[in-house]
Amino acid sequence: MTAGAAPARAATASPVVALWRFTRPHTIIGTTLSVLGLYVLAAEQAAAPPLYDLGCTLLAAWCVNVFIVGVNQLTDVGIDRINKPFLPLASGELTVAAARWIVAGCAVVPVALGLTQGALETGAVVAGLAVGAAYSLPPVRLKRFPLLASLCITGVRAVVVNLGVALHFTGGSVPPGVWALTLFVVPFAFAIAVLKDVPDAEGDRRFRISTFTVRLGGRRVLRMGLGALVIAYGGMAVLGPVLLDDAQPVVLAVTHLAVLGVLLRAARAADPADPEAFTRFYMTVWKAFFLEYALVPLAFVV
């Protein structure tokens, strides 16, 4: 991007499009499917929660999601101008002042919703906001430390979302399918956490963000991520049919082995030295994450 590209783009940008891109749409889609999948699993165990409850939970989850990615963009404008110049703050499509108002609103709304929905949802909301703030904001800024950064992402996706939302929907119990999803998402979220930094090595290195990629190199991080994905899918394919009595075993095993095969095949074209090619693979990993919240509920519904 040239020096004059950002102002020109900012002048013609649609505010709605800029806002949508500020939310990091792939994370919003992942959050939406997570909540919907957990709703289905909760309904399989007990009476389905009211749709109003589902709507409030979705809105709270979206706001927490936007708060986390928004704070990260506000604190990383300089890095994003190198790594992700297409993001609305880095490109100038969205002002810092507007982004701060959006982030502030996305902190207040889910807490207010949580207070109307009960202690379980309030606790999940506060935990998500706290981890997101600690990940990006100084003086803590956990993203500087690769292991803690990966644990933040894993904790939110695997524990706060899965267990927090499920406990809220069921009123205090965790269905077996949700436990399986939680165990699956622990290595999967770790894979997302380490793979997301591979295309961003240049900016992270320049701003002294010591990611696993900066420390170990893109190739080794790719192998780490693939190892975590093999653990997640292999575990669900092998242990899921044995431990989940109410799930259809063939559906669990075949679908998870098939998705793992697709990911391993896609990884062959993922060159850590080519940010665009690697980003395509990374987005394929996110699509597999989306799909997981359909595959596990499907196995129980069948």
Side-chain angles (χ1 to χ4, degrees), residues 61-114:
W62 290 335
C63 287
V64 173
N65 196 129
V66 175
F67 173 86
I68 292 172
V69 299
V71 167
N72 189 53
Q73 289 175 74
L74 280 167
T75 57
D76 281 359
V77 175
I79 300 175
D80 287 339
R81 284 174 180 152
I82 300 170
N83 292 338
K84 301 182 181 76
F86 54 85
L87 291 179
L89 279 178
S91 68
E93 292 175 82
L94 190 68
T95 66
V96 169
R100 286 174 176 165
W101 277 107
I102 294 168
V103 167
C106 287
V108 172
V109 170
V111 173
L113 283 172

Side-chain angles (χ1 to χ4, degrees), residues 35 40 74 81 96 113 120 139 141 149 153 219 237 253 293 301:
V35 172
V40 172
L74 280 167
R81 284 174 180 152
V96 169
L113 283 172
L120 287 172
R141 199 160 165 78
I153 296 171
R219 288 287 176 190
Y293 283 87
V301 171

Side-chain angles (χ1 to χ4, degrees), residues 4-5 11 42 54 74 86 95 114 126 139 151-152 161 195 200 203 225 243 284 294 297:
L54 172 61
L74 280 167
F86 54 85
T95 66
V126 171
L151 288 175
C152 284
V161 173
L195 293 174
D200 298 342
L243 300 178
T284 301

Side-chain angles (χ1 to χ4, degrees), residues 93-238:
E93 292 175 82
L94 190 68
T95 66
V96 169
R100 286 174 176 165
W101 277 107
I102 294 168
V103 167
C106 287
V108 172
V109 170
V111 173
L113 283 172
L115 292 173
T116 68
Q117 296 293 298
L120 287 172
E121 182 163 336
T122 303
V125 163
V126 171
L129 293 173
V131 173
Y135 179 83
S136 296
L137 291 175
V140 182
R141 199 160 165 78
L142 294 178
K143 70 177 296 176
R144 296 174 297 163
F145 312 104
L147 181 58
L148 292 176
S150 63
L151 288 175
C152 284
I153 296 171
T154 303
V156 170
R157 285 286 172 190
V159 179
V160 174
V161 173
N162 287 338
L163 298 185
V165 172
L167 286 168
H168 168 64
F169 281 153
T170 63
S173 62
V174 179
V178 175
W179 282 119
L181 267 175
T182 301
L183 293 175
F184 174 92
V185 173
V186 168
F188 199 108
F190 175 79
I192 287 176
V194 297
L195 293 174
K196 77 178 184 62
D197 294 323
V198 174
D200 298 342
E202 180 185 351
D204 290 339
R205 188 176 292 111
R206 192 176 301 184
F207 282 81
R208 298 182 180 180
I209 303 295
S210 186
T211 63
F212 279 121
T213 301
V214 171
R215 288 188 173 190
L216 304 176
R219 288 287 176 190
R220 292 180 66 182
V221 169
L222 174 59
R223 289 195 291 270
M224 287 171 57
L226 290 177
L229 292 174
V230 169
I231 291 172
Y233 282 98
M236 187 67 84
V238 174

